[in-house]
Amino acid sequence: ESMNTVLDDNKKICLSSGEIIAMSPYMTMVFEVEDLAVASPATVSRVGTIFMEPDKVVGTDAQIDGWLLELDPAIQPHGP
């Protein structure tokens, strides 16, 4: 449930220690989970879900390469 605060519009991470870390408007988070067995309906309603069958996944290298190609040329990495 503590993840719901970072998924809300206020984008604040509430740690179990009581510390609160605010994210900037430009920050996003990506979570990779095996399943949603322990996720509450409140959490599921706040996220976009992509289901990928393990035996049909292209792999992260292809996904990262595709993302890098979409970056503005001024911030694209140089070299191999």
Side-chain angles (χ1 to χ4, degrees), residues 8-54:
D8 284 340
D9 291 337
N10 62 20
K11 296 176 80 171
K12 293 181 181 178
I13 302 170
C14 298
L15 303 177
S16 58
S17 66
E19 184 178 0
I20 297 174
I21 301 171
M23 294 174 56
S24 78
Y26 306 103
M27 295 171 73
T28 58
M29 295 184 84
V30 176
F31 303 98
E32 181 179 344
V33 297
E34 186 174 339
D35 59 46
L36 297 173
V38 295
S40 71
T43 301
V44 173
S45 69
R46 288 175 168 85
V47 299
T49 305
I50 301 172
F51 175 75
M52 301 172 77
E53 294 184 56

Side-chain angles (χ1 to χ4, degrees), residues 59-69:
T60 56
D61 288 341
Q63 294 172 4
I64 292 170
D65 289 345
W67 175 74
L68 289 173
L69 290 173

Side-chain angles (χ1 to χ4, degrees), residues 1-2 4-6 8 14 16 31 33 39-40 54-55 70 73 76 80:
E1 288 302 316
S2 61
N4 289 343
T5 57
V6 77
D8 284 340
C14 298
S16 58
F31 303 98
V33 297
S40 71
D55 59 339
E70 297 296 321
Q76 285 187 0

